[in-house]
Amino acid sequence: MSETPVEAGLPMPDPHGAERVRGASGVLALLNAADILAAADVHVATRVSALLDVGDEAAVLALALTVRAARLGSSCLRLETVAAELGPELERHVPREQWPADLWPDGWWDRVVASALVTSPDAVLVAEAPLLTLQRYHRLEVSLSDRLAARAVAPVPELDTERLGTDLDRLFEAETFADQRAAAELVARSSTSVVTGGPGTGKTTTIARVLAALAGQHGTDREGRERPLSVALAAPTGKAAARMREAVAQAAEADVFTPAEREWLATLDAVTLHRLLGPRPDSRSSFVHHAGQKLAHDVVVVDETSMVSLLMMERLVQATSADTRLVLVGDADQLASVEAGAVLRDVAEGLQAAPHPAVATLRTGHRFTGAVGALASAVVGGDAEATLALLRSDDPGAPRLVDHDAVQDVVAGLPVQQARSLAAAAADGDAAAGLVALGSHRLLCAHRDGPWGLRPWNEALEREVRGFADPSRPWFVGRPVLVTRNDPGLGVHNGDTGLTVERDGRLVVELDTGRSVAASRLPAVQTAYASTVHRSQGSEYAHVTVLLPQDDSPILTRELLYTAITRTRGGLTVVADEDTIRRAVERRTARASGIARRLSARLGGS
Ligand SMILES: Nc1ncnc2c1ncn2[C@@H]1O[C@H](COP(=O)(O)OP(=O)(O)OP(=O)(O)O)[C@@H](O)[C@H]1O
């Protein structure tokens, strides 16, 4: 599954790029000026079109828009709805009278299909009416759907169903948890299953208990030798893996387990998906484990699957053998991976076409009592007025909605206190206290740039403790950082956070994973007083402050708001006006991918 030479030369677009392209002309320049096409979309489309000698501007535009769609998380583009979707956005920047007459040209689809973008041996687009898909995503989607479809109808690993029933009765005694018991049974009886549910609905509890039940089936191999169940627990980021490990250890303390089960559960570790698959120094997209060298576990459980990209999901399923149970756990209502593919939601939807769909949804929250849980339900249910009523509550400790005018007061409270605590802990060299302070609060923004993006707030808080903010000299004692790229060599992962301290005259980052790394060796980090909601996935904080932008933005969606508010373990402040909240609750993330359709078709659905 290698890339074509043209594809290999494609840069991966920066999801947040919003600059002008010098030298762009025609429709591309117009859409770039309106911030619909980012610089990277234009560059990729013009470069590839030049390489493939494509002269038709309509085809180049379709490619630029498909690259844009990928940047925004869709693996494909529906050409026929482009005019309706982008027209209103364009009109806000450029009056309709100034649009070229053939902006969305007649016969657009046919012109794209006839172009070398689709017909060349080096084609970068696949056209399957009505969708245009980048070749690299198309290959991944086909492979993933085929493999999942095969798994969905494959015989299930052997099971002593009588014993399973007895064990599950013991492990899920109370009637209140009947949905969890049903989910556990589905996991045990399927070779691929999906368990989704919001925060605190008992996903980890269910997984720990079903693993104990499966372990009970596994005492010895055919020759009578002792062979305990081999389980891999994995998550897309280091942070999420660490949380998974802790959550399973905590779930193992329940008194429903026998001492032997508890002891066995305590031995389970969780790793990143990258680590599970085995990174290779020469490649970011191929791994030690693949179709020819499968993982050797009896069960592979992936947590936070909503954050898994299409590429990683395909690589995982490829490396999972037919007699390994694969369990995908996550919250399908959350934001999907920044990279292409709303994989969890799509896989769950596609698997519904299987003869025995192994998709369980847990709906009862057991952790959030009261306001945050109710708020999360109102947002997921698309009920803007209920969301606003809950945010306007005067109850002490309830989530608070604060108008944009009062943002400075909000930032002067918890965020400034936290920045000072971090500085004080770092000055004392007390990494443990610093990491506690780091988990106490997080400022979450929808965007990276712009007045409501994370940059100005990170700089404001930096000034608060440092006296000035200097992007050219970003390191200082007390700087909280978020790692933005995996570096297996250093043992750091995308999503790890840490605090900068001084040790023997050198700046060192004490990470929440327990590692210490010299600041100079960590190139891919950002200051982490504030982070984007996307980056906060898989993490939780004692209090969360959410800053939503004043201007409307397509990024403000129900999934973004839901993900932001469910990052808190207790306190929540949302800075936004009521219209922003309404629009966010009503706007769903529109992500196009062919996985659900393709998987469903393979399974004989419509
Ligand atoms: N069957 C159960 N019996 C007793 N307590 C339970 C049960 N299910 C859930 N809980 C309690 O509810 C809380 C949330 O459960 P759990 O951590 O399993 O949820 P989760 O869906 O994995 O949450 P998150 O997505 O935030 O990780 C825990 O404190 C857990 O002990």
Side-chain angles (χ1 to χ4, degrees), residues 171-172 177 180 197-206 209 243 247 250-251 303-304 362 366-367 540:
L171 293 164
F172 297 93
F177 302 111
Q180 294 178 1
T201 49
K203 299 182 293 297
T204 315
T205 305
T206 304
R209 295 183 188 190
R243 276 197 57 209
Q250 206 177 356
D303 197 9
E304 299 283 2
L362 303 178
H366 300 289
R367 182 176 316 118
E540 282 181 358

Side-chain angles (χ1 to χ4, degrees), residues 353-600:
H356 306 286
V359 181
T361 306
L362 303 178
R363 296 189 198 279
T364 315
H366 300 289
R367 182 176 316 118
F368 290 132
T369 45
V372 174
L375 188 63
S377 303
V379 172
V380 165
D383 189 340
E385 294 316 314
T387 303
L388 282 169
L390 288 160
L391 282 169
R392 283 195 220 104
S393 152
D394 290 332
D395 294 349
R400 236 171 21 117
L401 179 66
V402 180
D403 200 69
H404 281 119
D405 298 341
V407 66
Q408 295 298 349
D409 297 340
V410 170
V411 173
L414 268 181
V416 165
Q417 279 167 32
Q418 181 191 25
R420 291 195 182 136
S421 306
L422 290 169
D428 292 345
D430 188 347
L435 292 174
V436 170
L438 205 54
S440 67
H441 173 261
R442 179 62 62 88
L443 199 57
L444 296 179
C445 302
H447 294 274
R448 237 165 48 150
D449 300 306
W452 296 94
L454 62 95
R455 260 191 245 274
W457 303 104
N458 267 333
E459 284 176 16
L461 290 161
E462 181 178 337
R463 269 194 297 277
E464 190 63 38
V465 294
R466 208 184 177 193
F468 62 93
D470 183 355
S472 67
R473 284 187 296 143
W475 288 104
F476 59 96
V477 173
R479 179 192 188 198
V481 292
L482 171 72
V483 175
T484 56
R485 201 189 307 144
N486 292 327
D487 187 333
L490 280 182
V492 300
H493 301 99
N494 188 353
D496 291 351
T497 51
L499 179 65
T500 314
V501 298
E502 195 175 316
R503 301 248 183 268
D504 304 325
R506 285 188 327 149
L507 291 183
V508 168
V509 176
E510 300 283 359
L511 291 161
D512 54 359
T513 53
R515 279 189 168 266
S516 308
V517 181
S520 57
R521 299 188 67 200
L522 278 175
V525 294
Q526 61 191 42
T527 302
Y529 295 118
S531 63
T532 58
V533 177
H534 268 102
R535 289 259 182 227
S536 72
Q537 280 187 87
S539 302
E540 282 181 358
Y541 311 93
H543 193 112
V544 165
T545 303
V546 185
L547 300 187
L548 296 181
Q550 260 169 324
D551 288 340
D552 191 26
S553 153
I555 213 172
L556 280 184
T557 58
R558 186 182 301 176
E559 290 79 6
L560 179 117
L561 186 57
Y562 172 80
T563 305
I565 63 182
T566 52
R567 295 312 90 208
T568 182
R569 284 193 298 269
L572 176 68
T573 308
V574 181
V575 180
D577 58 44
E578 297 199 350
D579 274 345
T580 308
I581 299 285
R582 270 192 202 96
R583 277 195 299 262
V585 171
E586 277 155 19
R587 183 185 288 126
R588 305 217 56 183
T589 313
R591 286 196 152 202
S593 112
I595 298 172
R597 192 176 47 92
R598 216 179 290 281
L599 183 52
S600 168

Side-chain angles (χ1 to χ4, degrees), residues 26-261:
V27 180
L28 294 187
L30 180 78
L31 295 180
N32 179 224
D35 277 340
I36 290 176
L37 289 180
D41 309 337
V42 177
H43 284 309
V44 170
T46 44
R47 180 145 19 123
V48 169
S49 300
L51 281 170
L52 293 176
D53 209 10
V54 175
D56 184 354
E57 197 186 22
V60 184
L61 174 62
L63 175 57
L65 290 170
T66 313
V67 174
R68 170 188 185 269
R71 174 170 58 84
L72 299 177
S74 295
S75 57
C76 49
L77 176 77
R78 234 185 148 89
L79 209 54
E80 61 191 13
T81 57
V82 164
E85 277 165 18
L86 299 183
E89 207 179 326
L90 180 60
E91 205 167 0
R92 268 192 271 135
H93 294 85
V94 186
R96 205 170 261 268
E97 312 77 79
Q98 291 173 25
W99 294 7
D102 60 345
L103 175 63
W104 321 115
D106 285 339
W108 196 5
W109 175 266
D110 295 336
R111 284 166 69 176
V112 180
V113 171
S115 78
L117 295 176
V118 174
T119 60
S120 157
D122 272 348
V124 289
L125 286 181
V126 176
E128 285 174 339
L131 301 178
L132 287 177
T133 310
L134 288 176
Q135 179 73 260
R136 57 155 66 121
Y137 293 135
H138 186 264
R139 272 197 301 267
L140 291 171
E141 285 194 1
V142 169
S143 165
L144 178 61
S145 310
D146 286 352
R147 291 174 194 280
L148 282 174
R151 293 185 62 88
V153 292
V156 180
E158 248 175 65
L159 203 63
D160 173 347
T161 48
E162 206 180 310
R163 168 146 194 203
L164 178 73
T166 318
D167 281 341
L168 293 183
D169 286 345
R170 166 175 58 89
L171 293 164
F172 297 93
E173 208 182 10
E175 190 48 37
T176 351
F177 302 111
D179 58 344
Q180 294 178 1
R181 189 194 186 286
E185 186 152 356
L186 208 63
V187 168
R189 287 172 176 272
S190 316
S191 61
T192 306
S193 53
V194 176
V195 179
T196 83
T201 49
K203 299 182 293 297
T204 315
T205 305
T206 304
I207 295 303
R209 295 183 188 190
V210 73
L211 287 177
L214 288 173
Q217 307 244 340
H218 237 260
T220 47
D221 66 11
R222 282 197 194 92
E223 279 78 44
R225 282 182 303 241
E226 204 170 305
R227 196 179 90 76
L229 186 77
S230 163
V231 175
L233 303 179
T237 66
K239 181 93 184 170
R243 276 197 57 209
M244 187 183 193
R245 188 179 311 129
E246 275 166 33
V248 170
Q250 206 177 356
E253 285 168 18
D255 53 17
V256 293
F257 296 112
T258 64
E261 285 170 341

